[in-house]
Structures are given as C-alpha cells and as structure tokens.
Amino acid sequence: MDKTINCLVVDDEPLALALLSDYIDKTPGLNLVSATSDPLTALALAKNGTVDLVFLDMQLPELSGMQFMKILQKKSMVIVTTAYGEYALESYDHHVVDYLLKPITFERFWLAIEKAQERFNALANPSLATNAAPPVNQFIFVKTDYRLVKVGLNDIYYLEGARDYVVIHTLTEQLLTLQSMKSLEEQLPAEQFMRIHKSYVISLDKISFIERGRVAINNQLIPVSDTYKDRLLEKLKLSK
C-alpha cells in the first residue's frame, strides 16, 4: 500500500487555499497538514520533515515562491500553483513535480498528484525506480549549472525543448540544461529514443498510447509532427 503523502498549501489567495484544500481532502492517499498564506510559517513546516508535498504559489508576501524553493533545498516535493506562466523555466531548476496554472481544475490536479505519487514512491523505494540496476554505459551525463549529473537512460521519459534550454523529464525529477537537443539526442541510443517533433525526443518504451497525432507519456500528451509520424509507426512496427 502506498504511504500517505502529507501536503502543505501556501497561497495568499483565500479562494485558492480553500480550493486546493478541498481537492486534497477528496483525494485518497493525501493528507492536508496545513493551508496558509504565511510563507515563513510554511517554510518552517516544510523544513522540519513533516511535509512531503508543497503546493506553492509564486507571488507571496515577504518571500517569493522562488526564494521559498531555494531555502527549502528540495526537502519536500513542490507543485507550483500560479496564474503566471513566466516562472516555468526557472522552476524546473528546482525539480518541481508539476506546474499548475490557475484556475486549476480537479482533473489537472489529479494528473499532478499521479506524478507526485510516482516520484514519492521512487524516492521512498529506490529499487522500484527500475527493475534492475542499469548495465554499464546505460546512462548519460547532463550539464546543469556547474554540475555534470548522471542520468540513467531507463529513467528518462522524454526531452522537451524550451527556448534556449532542454528539460529532461525523468522518473523522479526534471533537469534543466543548456545543452542543445541535438547534442543530447546524439548521446541516446537510437533503438530506445526517437525525435518525434522539433521540440521533443521520447523514450519509446514509455509510450502509454497514441492518438490523433499525439503520444501519451507519464500523463502528458506530446505532439508528433508529420515529418516523424510515419517513421514512428515504422519503428513501433505499426500499420499506417
């Protein structure tokens, strides 16, 4: 049985606090520890180990959402909740689980929770991340800030181009890198990964289903451009 995820909601809007609290209360496997508009109180809770997941607004009094995450230092998982899209790229650097734009529907909330549950289980039980340790050379090193981070190929869901960056979506996190999509694609084995769009390279074995020119991976619908559609079907040995 999955362990309960203890949640904290941080937002300066009473309606947002009430809505997310209601969503958490009606979702199995979640427990609401606190819902507050005070980021300093919230930070103290998140840092003392009693909170697993923080629903975090970006525009808060006294402390911004970005400052909150920097101080938190990944001690809890974070789902960003905001009315503004401009924080998305920077938030990836803090390995956020998901980025929810207000108004937040319950359906979109549920998809974010599925991601959080998967990451939570993987972090609690590292052996579940993959069925076995990847063989030698089944990984790449990715440049993030001043580090080279080792990423197992079996953990990669897909690569997403985002302006001057590439976001690598994995089982447990999202890595933001300034490496080009082309350079990363060249490091990935062609039998396991494929470009399906100018902005996306996917892991073929992570596809859940294909519909209407899109593939579903980890609850995300990713477009397949006409340039790659036939090649994808051929690679998957599907009829056109």
Side-chain angles (χ1 to χ4, degrees):
M1 182 180 294
D2 292 334
K3 182 182 174 184
T4 298
I5 297 178
N6 291 316
C7 302
L8 169 65
V9 182
V10 192
D11 203 302
D12 64 348
E13 299 175 10
L15 288 177
L17 286 175
L19 179 70
L20 288 169
S21 297
D22 179 61
Y23 284 175
I24 291 168
D25 286 340
K26 67 173 58 171
T27 303
L30 301 186
N31 173 54
L32 179 62
V33 173
S34 180
T36 179
S37 60
D38 182 354
L40 299 180
T41 299
L43 191 59
L45 277 173
K47 286 181 71 70
N48 71 11
T50 60
V51 173
D52 303 307
L53 176 61
V54 180
F55 292 87
L56 181 65
D57 188 21
M58 288 288 96
Q59 295 190 336
L60 297 166
E62 299 179 317
L63 200 66
S64 72
M66 288 300 172
Q67 290 171 325
F68 187 103
M69 287 191 284
K70 287 176 183 177
I71 298 171
L72 184 61
Q73 295 182 328
K74 306 181 183 71
K75 292 186 184 297
S76 303
M77 298 183 294
V78 173
I79 292 177
V80 170
T81 59
T82 180
Y84 306 94
E86 62 262 32
Y87 303 105
L89 284 177
E90 188 177 354
S91 70
Y92 279 128
D93 200 34
H94 296 279
H95 301 168
V96 298
V97 173
D98 209 339
Y99 193 95
L100 302 183
L101 284 174
K102 298 174 181 178
I104 301 168
T105 65
F106 184 70
E107 179 184 13
R108 186 65 184 85
F109 172 88
W110 184 277
L111 292 175
I113 292 304
E114 288 186 332
K115 293 182 185 179
Q117 186 72 65
E118 187 171 12
R119 183 181 297 189
F120 183 68
N121 291 339
L123 292 172
N125 304 284
S127 61
L128 298 179
T130 54
N131 293 329
V136 177
N137 295 331
Q138 287 299 298
F139 56 82
I140 60 174
F141 279 94
V142 177
K143 296 177 184 176
T144 61
D145 292 329
Y146 303 106
R147 293 181 179 178
L148 284 171
V149 179
K150 183 180 179 181
V151 182
L153 298 182
N154 290 334
D155 293 339
I156 299 175
Y157 284 111
Y158 60 93
L159 278 58
E160 178 184 9
R163 297 182 185 172
D164 298 328
Y165 302 87
V166 173
V167 181
I168 302 174
H169 296 260
T170 76
L171 177 67
T172 59
E173 61 186 346
Q174 295 154 334
L175 295 171
L176 190 68
T177 177
L178 280 169
Q179 289 178 250
S180 69
M181 182 76 84
K182 182 179 179 182
S183 70
L184 289 168
E185 186 180 6
E186 289 172 349
Q187 297 180 63
L188 300 172
E191 66 275 10
Q192 187 176 349
F193 294 88
M194 179 181 169
R195 184 187 287 266
I196 61 168
H197 187 277
K198 67 178 182 179
S199 299
Y200 293 97
V201 172
I202 66 168
S203 174
L204 296 170
D205 65 1
K206 298 295 193 297
I207 296 175
S208 300
F209 60 84
I210 303 172
E211 69 166 16
R212 299 177 181 176
R214 300 178 297 180
V215 298
I217 295 181
N218 194 30
N219 298 313
Q220 295 295 315
L221 288 173
I222 301 172
V224 182
S225 67
D226 292 339
T227 306
Y228 299 99
K229 190 177 299 182
D230 289 347
R231 183 171 164 234
L232 174 63
L233 295 176
E234 181 181 344
K235 196 144 190 171
L236 296 174
K237 296 181 171 55
L238 299 173
S239 59
K240 299 178 183 179

